[in-house]
Amino acid sequence: SNVSTCTATVTVEDNVDPIALCQNITVQLDAAGNATISPSDIDNGSSDACNPPTLSLDITSFDCGDVGLNTVTLTATDANSNTSTCTATVTVEDNVLPTAICQNLTIQLDATGNATITTGDIDNGSNDACGIQSLSLDQTTFDCSNVGPNTVTLTVTDNNSNVSTCTATVTVQDIINPTAICQNITVQLDATGNATITTADIDNSSFDNCGIASLSLDQTTFDCNDVGPNTVTLTVTDNNSNVSTCTATVTVEDNVDP
């Protein structure tokens, strides 16, 4: 029954790495073109035998340059500094539509009756957080048939193929006066001492980019009092109410014997 004792120190170590478990996620960029994630978004039940591990990520913020697939690393660290890692794919998407902003425009037809516009004429500061890829219009050319207001649609496509549209009114004007061309004529009084002319007698191929609406003369009838040279005015009105005039000499002759 003799007894002796001694003591020893038992050093307990935890050298077991925690278990890092990841999951893939998809995130959307916001209107400013940014997105942020946290370790809990990637964690898929990481664990440790002693205590829940501390989690950290190597990448937590994303922008327009990250649209697509991104590999991130999740690190799990336990209370005794043992670590494990796993990787996950973060799919970054930009589903925010661009902001399409239009402005109305007034244009004039040229001498040939045509006018052309560009997207820059209608765009009024359209924008997108990730940038504009292209601008397009459903109508860029106009002619005489378009005089007045016309609705055009501007299509804005951003760098990630999101599309927005806006509409604008393109007011087409024809402010070019017609070209009035006259010719002199000589007319004979008839047996009653009278003569009559028409606009066709004085007109010498007057023209306009959008067409002639009417021709008129300030004097079409002549009698004995008008024998000799007479100045007449031809008024040319085009289809959009622009007016020009020219003058011609009508020489009235009386060659009827008494």
Side-chain angles (χ1 to χ4, degrees):
S1 299
N2 299 308
V3 177
S4 294
T5 64
C6 65
T7 61
T9 299
V10 177
T11 302
V12 178
E13 294 182 347
D14 172 16
N15 291 318
V16 177
D17 291 334
I19 299 171
L21 296 177
C22 286
Q23 61 183 347
N24 299 329
I25 64 169
T26 298
V27 296
Q28 310 294 327
L29 296 179
D30 60 20
N34 297 293
T36 303
I37 64 172
S38 65
S40 61
D41 296 321
I42 300 299
D43 180 44
N44 195 24
S46 301
S47 62
D48 184 73
C50 292
N51 291 292
T54 300
L55 304 175
S56 63
L57 282 171
D58 61 340
I59 304 173
T60 58
S61 61
F62 304 87
D63 59 24
C64 297
D66 300 309
V67 170
L69 305 180
N70 301 267
T71 299
V72 298
T73 299
L74 178 71
T75 300
T77 304
D78 69 14
N80 295 301
S81 299
N82 300 300
T83 63
S84 292
T85 61
C86 60
T87 60
T89 298
V90 176
T91 302
V92 176
E93 295 181 347
D94 169 23
N95 290 319
V96 178
L97 300 180
T99 301
I101 308 174
C102 286
Q103 60 185 345
N104 297 329
L105 178 71
T106 297
I107 58 175
Q108 280 79 44
L109 297 177
D110 61 19
T112 67
N114 295 287
T116 302
I117 64 172
T118 66
T119 55
D121 297 321
I122 300 300
D123 180 44
N124 194 26
S126 300
N127 59 83
D128 184 81
C130 289
I132 301 296
Q133 180 187 95
S134 65
L135 301 172
S136 64
L137 283 169
D138 63 343
Q139 184 177 358
T140 58
T141 60
F142 303 85
D143 58 25
C144 296
S145 66
N146 303 120
V147 170
N150 301 265
T151 300
V152 298
T153 300
L154 177 71
T155 299
V156 181
T157 304
D158 72 11
N159 285 325
N160 294 304
S161 300
N162 300 299
V163 176
S164 293
T165 61
C166 59
T167 59
T169 298
V170 176
T171 302
V172 177
Q173 296 177 337
D174 169 26
I175 60 174
I176 296 180
N177 290 332
T179 300
I181 307 174
C182 287
Q183 60 186 348
N184 300 328
I185 64 170
T186 298
V187 296
Q188 308 296 325
L189 295 179
D190 62 18
T192 67
N194 294 288
T196 302
I197 64 172
T198 67
T199 55
D201 296 322
I202 301 300
D203 180 43
N204 193 23
S205 301
S206 300
F207 62 90
D208 183 77
N209 59 343
C210 285
I212 302 295
S214 66
L215 301 172
S216 65
L217 283 169
D218 62 343
Q219 184 177 358
T220 59
T221 60
F222 303 87
D223 59 22
C224 298
N225 295 321
D226 300 308
V227 171
N230 300 267
T231 300
V232 296
T233 300
L234 177 71
T235 300
V236 181
T237 305
D238 72 11
N239 286 324
N240 294 304
S241 302
N242 300 299
V243 176
S244 292
T245 62
C246 60
T247 59
T249 299
V250 176
T251 301
V252 177
E253 294 179 347
D254 172 17
N255 290 321
V256 178
D257 293 334

